[in-house]
Amino acid sequence: MAAITIPRATHGRAFRLRRLRGNILFALALLPFVVFALFPVYWMFITTFKQVNDLYNLQDNPLTFNLAPTLEQVTYLFQQTNYATWAVNTVEVGAVVVAITLFVCIPAAYVLARMRFPGSTSLGIGIFLTYLVPPTLLFLPLSQIMVGLGLINTKWALAVVYPTFTIPFCTWLLMGFFKSIPREITEAARVDGCSRFGALFRVVLPVSVPGLLTIVIFAFTLVMQEYVYGLTFVSASDQKLITLGVVTDLIRGDIFYWGSLMAGALIVAIPVAFVYNLFMDTFVRGITGGSLK
Amino acid sequence: MATVRLEHIYKKFGDVIAVNDLSLEIRDEEFLVLVGPSGCGKTTALRMVAGLEEQTSGDIFIGDRLVNDVPPKDRDIAMVFQNYALYPHMDVTDNLSFGLKLWHVVRDEIKRRIEDAARMLGIDRLLQRKPRELSGGQRQRVALGRAIVREPKVFLMDEPLSNLDAKLRVQTRADLLKLHQRVKTTTIYVTHDQVEAMTMGDRIAVMRDGLLQQLDTPEGLYASPANLFVAGFIGSPPMNFFRGTVRQVDGQTMVDTGSVRVPLPPRVAGGAARAALGREVVYGIRPEDIEAQNGTGGWPVRANIEVVEYLGNEVQVHANVQGVTFVARLSPRAGARVGEDLPLSLHTERAHVFDAKTEDAISG
Amino acid sequence: MAEVERSVSDVARTTAVARARAQLSPRERIGRLLENEAVFGYLMVAPAILYILILVGYPFAIALWFTVSDATVSQPIGPFTGLTNLKFVLDDEVFKRALANTFVFTISSQLIQMVFGTMLAFLLLRHFRGRRLIRAIVMLPFTVPVAVGAIAWQWMLNPTYSVVNWVGAQLGFFPMLGGPNWLGEEQYAMISIIVVNVWRNLPFTAIVLTAGISSIPQEILEAASLDGAGWLTRWRKIMAPIIAPIIYIALLFSLVFTFTDMTVVWLLTKGSPVNSTHVIASYAFVTGVISGGLGRGAAMSLFLFPVLLVGALMLLRNLKARTLD
Ligand SMILES: Nc1ncnc2c1ncn2[C@@H]1O[C@H](COP(=O)(O)OP(=O)(O)OP(=O)(O)O)[C@@H](O)[C@H]1O
Ligand SMILES: [Mg+2]
């Protein structure tokens, strides 16, 4: 017995050593990525709570608090700017964009993924090509249209424009999802007594909930994060959405309200990070869905 | 209950003619099997009856109603799909009641029908499960149940057993037949398996390349195949075929393969035989119509045995008579041994003769 | 066979069809119409097509007119000027620089993302304690609005108070207060722009790759190991070809996006120093929106189109696979 157990023990130790070395190498490989990703976020975080004098201090270690942390900058954000209004605007515009996107994309993606009628392929291509039109090309004519619609310099201009991004992308995304649902299920529903519409609403949509959620998230984060169109179409402070408001109203000429800027950004980023982590896998599957089978 | 009538149905997909001039009447309460090799248009034909595919031309009647323009939901049919197509987001009860609710069947009636069907199919304990929590056989039963509770005019089934293992398939086949005897709903059943077709169909429609080859009872198909294709398709192992010429030999009409001569069956004697004189034909005889010689008639030949397969209750031998090879099903006691000669007798009275060019059966 | 041959005469058939139609109420008739594949199909894509025609097609057409006319903000419907705008743009040194920058920016960002994204994907695929947390941390840059992320980097790269330089000095890379002026010198500014863009997009690339790699059936990899394939062979001969389609899609999406995006450039440098860091999108924005030269701005934006079209054609091959069975 002893003769057998001893070699096994040494083998075990060598094995453990090798594994330990592997783990250390692994951690060393991962570390730069974590630092690269985390450092700017940490920097934003600490900037948020630093006193202004601490920010512009060339003597001491900038990575820690050299003066007592303060909520001054956060308070400033909420009391001296329209931050709350921007947040409300973002939610309102987000809801409208999500609604338009769903209303337009669901039916289009369904028939383009499932049906063949004269011109169906070209229509699908046409919708998708929209994604390629450079935004800079559209700014000027679009702003004229917004003037015509009486929406210029209001948040609703953005609610009307953002779907031009979300529609091509989300149609594409949903097409992949719908493709992966067996055709026979909708046919069974139609034989069971559903119209074509009925089959879509009673069977296809309930099965596609992850795909629909992905779209909602995509549309909403786009509204939360978009900057360039906002910059072009909206200048009234009380009409801005959150990102634009933070980036424009907290930089006055050469003066940057660093702490408040970072605070405003982090308040947006944290919920988004949370939601993304929940839905990342579905999102990725949505984008790549059609190409992986 | 209803008849289903297809009249001159064509279906083209681009250049492919999937169904070619199909005319077919399925009688009330009949169990009709549509059989044929892969790609012959069975599924397409069934889907046109369901309204899931629109025919290029021709008419379809269910009962007396012309249903060409009628969408599937208004045809009063139920369909069982090969992959079952259960609604993944609903439990079994909801799967079964889905159609009934759409047809505004009252709640008590829905409950009664689901209970009946569940008991009949032995799925009463699965009613709360989602499809992904069921085995293949159970899913198949739920799919059947979904059709049964609808109490439709017609059942359409597209290879509903093909995803089951062999044993379950045999059992479910019997269950399906029992079910049909009880509910007596007109049924169109698609399969590519001739054994399934022969055991289940009241009548069988054999298709090939979109064309109907023959419509007959199982007995009729077996006893008098209309052409070479049907003869080869029905029966296992398949019928043996030899090419030959019809000749008058010693006052008897024979098929001459060059090395072997066999007499024409009595059915083909007389006028048809005379008309066939000198023509190229294919002579067909089923493996079960060949026996070891025992003095009770048949056409005697001496065959060299090349392969012997023991199947327990019988042996299948590959035999060779002067260069003509064929398969025979013999009794294990016939004493067939590889390499040895064995006297066999062919029951030529049950043989079939086909025109080599048209491939149609020749009969008197 | 006899009853099969019995067919309703043509007259009887016509009346049967007519009777079946006449019995329908108008509502039923509309219902029938909607069951028609083509009618249903057109109806369902109509909202998408209308939206796009009005808000992309129409402005796009106007923009095309801008490129060949002397349009300004004050006079959008200017006189036709032919290729004058295009010629002007081609003679513009800043534009040429921006064109080169766009390619440098897009291609190097993508390359770096692919290489490091693959490494990161493999690291994240290993099962280790705290994997979810690490994944969440690595995802953070993607969730910070890109505009604000760029501002944060601007602060980190501030010529006077750069924390990056402070850390660099502590590690001995350069003397205290003697680090590079990241956003003030051409080379460094371009590098900064690329780094920020990679910072922002690397997580997404890595996650897409992770999804691709983990979708490879384990048996295939095991079979390859049994056949004696080493780590590199497994990657080159098995994993990479299998996930190629997914990489391709992610890459094309991201290429098109990076190509037309100006946010990072705009917020980090606004094209400075001396217009050396503009990309086409940001320069077109300056020319068209800020200075009001509609025609020239549009001509610049359109300049990207041929390149995008190539990307589009490649994506379309995949789109076809999605629309057809
Ligand atoms: N949607 C379609 N588009 C184009 N061709 C089709 C389509 N559906 C069927 N076909 C073609 O029509 C022919 C008949 O197909 P069908 O599915 O009816 O065959 P099947 O007899 O059911 O075969 P299987 O036993 O393999 O299911 C085939 O050649 C097939 O390729
Ligand atoms: Mg089929």
Side-chain angles (χ1 to χ4, degrees), chain A residues 116 183, chain B residues 11-14 16-19 34-47 53 82 158-159 190-193 207 209-210, chain C residues 325:
Chain A
R116 271 201 258 174
R183 177 184 288 274
Chain B
K11 177 69 190 181
K12 286 190 192 150
F13 292 109
V16 182
I17 303 182
V19 173
L34 213 51
V35 70
S38 190
C40 72
K42 313 175 292 280
T43 299
T44 308
L46 195 74
R47 287 168 57 84
E53 207 86 68
Q82 178 171 354
D158 190 0
E159 315 211 11
V190 164
T191 178
H192 62 261
D193 177 355
M207 287 181 70
D209 294 342
Chain C
D325 281 73

Side-chain angles (χ1 to χ4, degrees), chain B residues 5 7-8 23-25 27 58-59 61 65-66 68-74 203 215, chain C residues 1 3-9 13 16-21 28 31-32 35-37:
Chain B
R5 209 161 72 238
E7 294 185 349
H8 304 290
S23 291
L24 198 62
E25 174 161 337
R27 300 176 188 136
D59 295 324
F61 294 85
R65 182 167 168 228
L66 178 71
N68 289 4
D69 298 339
V70 180
K73 70 185 173 77
D74 298 327
R203 286 190 305 159
L215 172 65
Chain C
M1 291 303 260
E3 68 247 332
V4 176
E5 297 304 324
R6 184 194 69 195
S7 76
V8 187
S9 75
R13 175 175 177 262
V17 176
R19 188 153 22 89
R21 294 223 171 103
E28 284 172 314
R32 285 277 162 94
E35 292 303 291
N36 179 291
E37 189 160 2

